[in-house]
Amino acid sequence: MRRKDIDILKGIGIILVVLGHVKPEMYVEKWIYSFHMFLFFFLCGLVFNKTTLKEQFKKSVLTCLLPYFVWNGIAIIISICLQETTAIEALKNMFFIGKVSWNSPIWFLLVLFWTRIAAQFLTAKKVYIFCALPFLILLGYLCIIPSVLGLDILPMALIWFSLGYILKETKVETGFWKGLILSAILMLVCIITSYINNRISVYGNYYGNYIIALVSGLCGVGSTYIIINLYTGRGRSCAWLESVGK
């Protein structure tokens, strides 16, 4: 059974991605980029279902890895035909940067593949994910993983995945007005912190001030999650956002 709140949240994330790529005013762009990709990885953790490593690998190859290489293969052929790049340069970009020419947004599929595989180990026992979270935060800060097949982005992706999974396993209740006020405060903090930080790039593994980026992302994701849950919790829905999220 599909959850309306998840579909709406995915719809919001997709719209934010589109808005972020049409080059809005800088302060709006900084706000969007401060949490929109974190939201997707957070939702991955929220809906993640444990299975065997074999099944997860098979599913992730078919839904993430295969589309990544197929679409990048098409992009390589088009780019070479248009003389935008060479075959060697295109292959180098695909394996080491996660994009080919104009096909850069597809990097998400590659990182999602690694996230799902790593999640099989992190969620084996609940204590694992709690123990791994501080290590992942440190690893994300150090940026010591080489940029090969999107692995350099994996620590940051797993931070947000872990938060989503922890929330999934934890029952949290709050009153409507308390939740509304909390959501407003979190979004205000997100706006302020995104304004004072540089424009971050998850794809580029660049976060400006790392601590501010985490605070801004946490507030943006938290505020969006709370407000949509308050909305759907009252029996309401938003058909067009749900359709976008599906």
Side-chain angles (χ1 to χ4, degrees):
M1 183 177 177
R2 299 190 70 96
R3 286 177 52 179
K4 290 182 178 180
D5 59 331
I6 299 297
D7 285 334
I8 291 174
L9 285 164
K10 287 194 293 183
I12 290 172
I14 290 169
I15 290 172
L16 288 175
V17 168
V18 174
L19 291 176
H21 282 82
V22 297
K23 297 298 179 182
E25 293 292 334
M26 180 53 70
Y27 62 89
V28 176
E29 185 179 15
K30 288 167 70 175
W31 169 72
I32 290 173
Y33 275 77
S34 71
F35 74 97
H36 76 310
M37 291 312 303
F38 296 154
L39 178 62
F40 282 112
F41 289 114
F42 172 82
L43 293 175
C44 290
L46 205 58
V47 300
F48 183 78
N49 293 313
K50 287 183 285 187
T51 183
T52 64
L53 180 60
K54 181 180 178 180
E55 284 298 314
Q56 185 61 250
F57 182 79
K58 181 181 178 181
K59 177 184 176 182
S60 298
V61 166
L62 291 175
T63 59
C64 297
L65 212 55
L66 185 60
Y68 173 80
F69 283 109
V70 168
W71 285 108
N72 262 331
I74 294 172
I76 286 174
I77 294 172
I78 294 174
S79 297
I80 292 174
C81 289
L82 294 175
Q83 297 184 335
E84 292 181 348
T85 185
T86 63
I88 294 176
E89 187 67 25
L91 289 171
K92 176 184 174 182
N93 288 341
M94 183 170 70
F95 282 96
F96 290 94
I97 301 178
K99 73 161 188 174
V100 174
S101 186
W102 40 265
N103 208 25
S104 59
I106 209 167
W107 67 267
F108 180 77
L109 289 176
L110 192 57
V111 180
L112 183 58
F113 168 78
W114 294 119
T115 302
R116 285 178 173 178
I117 299 304
Q120 282 296 124
F121 300 96
L122 285 178
T123 59
K125 289 185 179 181
K126 198 170 183 178
V127 67
Y128 290 173
I129 206 161
F130 281 103
C131 292
L133 197 51
F135 175 72
L136 290 170
I137 292 172
L138 178 61
L139 201 57
Y141 173 75
L142 295 175
C143 291
I144 56 176
I145 299 178
S147 179
V148 179
L149 289 174
L151 286 171
D152 55 321
I153 308 172
L154 183 59
M156 183 60 81
L158 285 172
I159 289 171
W160 298 97
F161 170 90
S162 300
L163 293 174
Y165 188 81
I166 290 170
L167 184 63
K168 174 186 176 181
E169 298 291 298
T170 307
K171 189 174 181 181
V172 180
E173 293 183 0
T174 181
F176 178 80
W177 290 109
K178 287 182 179 179
L180 193 62
I181 293 170
L182 177 59
S183 178
I185 293 173
L186 289 175
M187 186 52 71
L188 179 61
V189 174
C190 175
I191 293 170
I192 294 171
T193 51
S194 66
Y195 181 77
I196 63 177
N197 197 13
N198 297 327
R199 200 273 257 174
I200 75 166
S201 170
V202 178
Y203 160 66
N205 205 28
Y206 172 74
Y207 305 104
N209 185 300
Y210 187 71
I211 301 301
I212 293 178
L214 290 179
V215 171
S216 188
L218 187 61
C219 291
V221 170
S223 174
T224 309
Y225 176 78
I226 291 170
I227 197 67
I228 296 304
N229 268 268
L230 291 175
Y231 181 78
T232 57
R234 300 195 128 195
R236 297 175 179 174
S237 62
C238 184
W240 72 274
L241 267 179
E242 287 178 49
S243 63
V244 172
K246 290 177 182 179

